[in-house]
Amino acid sequence: MDVKSTLFVVNPTAKAGAGRRQWEAIHSLITQDSELSCDLCVRFTEGARHAIQLAKQACFEKNDGTQTENVISDSVQRVTRSSARRKDRRFSTVCAVGGDGTLNEVVNGLMQVDAAQRCALAYIPCASGGDFNRTLKRPTNARQIVSSMKSWSRTKIDMHGREFI
């Protein structure tokens, strides 16, 4: 997975706010890791169904913040160290950061996009339930998650032929 071409859709209220703290720990570890360190594009959800919109929009947005089509809202929060260094290319991946509900919304947003333009899906668990993550037997500790990002690979799952990272 190329972290540089990934949009992280973060649910700050997952696990009664603990999701935001978990994301902050993960974000800090990513920026400290020489193999992963880059300008990250992060959007925080603002309420129910917002992750659907963010995921759908990511498929049409260049990761320098400009639009390829007129679908971007004003509710964008960007976390970068220097957006001037960002390459002019589209997002290849949308990473849901939250619980099963956030993941569900991101999947629904991606599935509303034509397959030729659809981003891949990645998932970082930051919630109390985590049924999907338990099924995949993925790590939940921030250090283990960041370490595993270096070797993430695409895996097909039953989602109309889409791939999961």
Side-chain angles (χ1 to χ4, degrees):
M1 179 181 119
D2 182 5
V3 175
K4 295 178 181 118
S5 65
T6 300
L7 171 66
F8 293 86
V9 175
V10 180
N11 178 354
T13 62
K15 198 175 181 178
R20 183 180 194 103
R21 290 186 297 278
Q22 171 86 346
W23 166 249
E24 289 169 354
I26 290 167
H27 177 262
S28 177
L29 291 168
I30 291 171
T31 57
Q32 293 171 23
D33 189 296
S34 61
E35 291 180 57
L36 295 173
S37 183
C38 64
D39 297 334
L40 299 178
C41 189
V42 180
R43 303 238 172 86
F44 295 95
T45 60
E46 297 174 356
R49 305 188 55 79
H50 190 217
I52 295 171
Q53 176 188 5
L54 295 175
K56 185 175 178 180
Q57 290 173 345
C59 298
F60 300 103
E61 179 185 357
K62 295 179 183 177
N63 73 356
D64 65 354
T66 63
Q67 302 172 43
T68 58
E69 293 188 15
N70 189 20
V71 293
I72 307 304
S73 71
D74 294 330
S75 61
V76 173
Q77 293 185 359
R78 186 172 295 281
V79 179
T80 66
R81 285 182 292 181
S82 171
S83 59
R85 292 187 310 217
R86 188 177 304 285
K87 298 213 188 305
D88 186 25
R89 58 184 174 176
R90 288 182 180 211
F91 291 109
S92 63
T93 306
V94 176
C95 182
V97 183
D100 292 333
T102 305
L103 176 63
N104 180 51
E105 287 192 17
V106 169
V107 167
N108 278 288
L110 293 176
M111 295 308 290
Q112 292 176 23
V113 176
D114 182 67
Q117 294 181 295
R118 191 178 302 139
C119 296
L121 169 69
Y123 177 56
I124 294 176
C126 289
S128 53
D131 291 331
F132 187 77
N133 195 60
R134 271 195 304 279
T135 300
L136 294 179
K137 296 180 171 68
R138 295 282 182 105
T140 56
N141 171 281
R143 288 194 186 282
Q144 292 172 338
I145 290 169
V146 172
S147 179
S148 74
M149 289 173 73
K150 297 173 191 176
S151 62
W152 276 359
S153 60
R154 292 178 184 260
T155 304
K156 289 200 181 212
I157 60 172
D158 186 11
M159 191 180 356
H160 302 289
R162 288 307 305 153
E163 295 180 338
F164 180 82
I165 296 180

